[in-house]
Amino acid sequence: MRIVTDISVYNYHLIVSFLNESVEVIPLIGGEDKRNLYRERVGNYRHHISHTKGLNEMAVIRHHLFGVKESIAKSYPLLLSNEIVEEESQVLGKEVTQVSIDYKYDNLYLMSNDSGIIEWRVSDPIVPKKVKEIVPEAIERLSDPVLSNMVTIENDILLSIRGYGINKIINRRNDQRLAVEVRSPDPQDVNAFNLRKVIIIADAFDGILLFDERQQKIIGQFRLPENDFPQQIEPFWGEILIKGKYGVYLLDPNYMKLQVLWNEGRVGVLTKYYKYIFFSSKEKLYLLRPGWIRYIRSISLDRLNNLQAIELL
């Protein structure tokens, strides 16, 4: 059975990493794809990256894939014209557990058990430049903290710390400080919503929590049905996309109304791209587009490395 370790989508290409296998890169066609001319201008992507196996914590910027293998973070070029091999890729961090990219400022952030948060400037991903290392106050206070996720948005760093809560760190050139701390029993993920004024927390015990920074309090709480619990949250066209352990959901935060998109088994990894949602379950990859005309389709994982392209409806 093939096991997906992570998925990402960039420039209308689906990037899938398999445990102990290569990373597959599959073009997406149709749908709202308006980038054919752009794709021709930048060149073609590799169909797979064979010299690495089982990447996790993948993130992509400027046609370079950043990922973690055996706790070591490196970059992997996606363009066929760039023939850098793995041995020539710079080691960006060791003992890395989380990866995030701040797309507005072309910054890559790595959470390292050795060094804290390592910030890299990747405007030229072939020659990344190390900016600084940040050791959050909460990480120093806690003994062996487990970070479930790190999200970076416009120089803000959001951390979810299991068994503790979430931290928001303001990151400036000469100023790194704790701006918000919210305690919750077991946060699995954290993100920002509503122009970054609301922090969303996915907690295994308390469910979805909405924390308003201006009011400095929880303004909403929602638990998933059927004893499911949230593991991942993403803003999604004015709503909140939720990956539970056993389902995929959309939450309208204005009315706290939940829509069940899929609940037919344990959910593996999930990512979004424009109006599309991609997730794995058992031995299939699912493509979902919520809306007035909702559709969902699945592809066997065994077929993925033989596909020339995946058509979007």
Side-chain angles (χ1 to χ4, degrees), residues 194-206:
N194 191 20
L195 300 177
R196 299 159 54 214
K197 297 302 181 184
V198 174
I199 295 174
I200 323 165
I201 304 167
D203 191 276
F205 293 98
D206 287 350

Side-chain angles (χ1 to χ4, degrees), residues 41 43 49 91 100-101 105 111 146 160 182-183 187-188 237-238:
R41 185 166 69 248
I49 302 174
V91 173
S100 182
I101 288 179
Y105 296 107
M111 171 54 73
V146 177
S160 54
V182 183
R183 299 297 298 271
Q188 308 289 301
W237 297 91

Side-chain angles (χ1 to χ4, degrees), residues 259-274:
Q259 180 184 2
V260 179
L261 299 180
W262 192 88
N263 61 348
E264 299 178 17
R266 187 165 183 166
V267 183
V269 292
L270 175 146
T271 192
K272 64 174 185 174
Y273 189 66
Y274 291 109

Side-chain angles (χ1 to χ4, degrees), residues 123-135:
S123 49
D124 181 356
I126 297 177
V127 189
K129 297 180 179 179
K130 188 174 180 178
V131 179
K132 60 177 176 284
E133 295 178 359
I134 305 165
V135 181

Side-chain angles (χ1 to χ4, degrees), residues 44-106:
N44 295 318
Y45 282 178
R46 307 168 185 275
H47 295 302
H48 60 270
I49 302 174
S50 59
H51 54 260
T52 189
K53 300 185 180 196
L55 287 181
N56 52 48
E57 290 299 317
M58 296 192 304
V60 189
I61 189 171
R62 296 185 180 274
H63 316 298
H64 271 67
L65 170 67
F66 293 89
V68 179
K69 183 181 73 171
E70 298 175 350
S71 299
I72 296 176
K74 290 186 178 183
S75 67
Y76 305 89
L78 294 173
L79 288 171
L80 282 171
S81 58
N82 193 329
E83 295 299 334
I84 295 178
V85 297
E86 182 185 16
E87 288 73 21
E88 296 172 337
S89 299
Q90 182 176 353
V91 173
L92 302 175
K94 296 181 179 180
E95 295 299 318
V96 174
T97 60
Q98 303 291 336
V99 174
S100 182
I101 288 179
D102 188 332
Y103 287 96
K104 182 170 182 178
Y105 296 107
D106 288 343

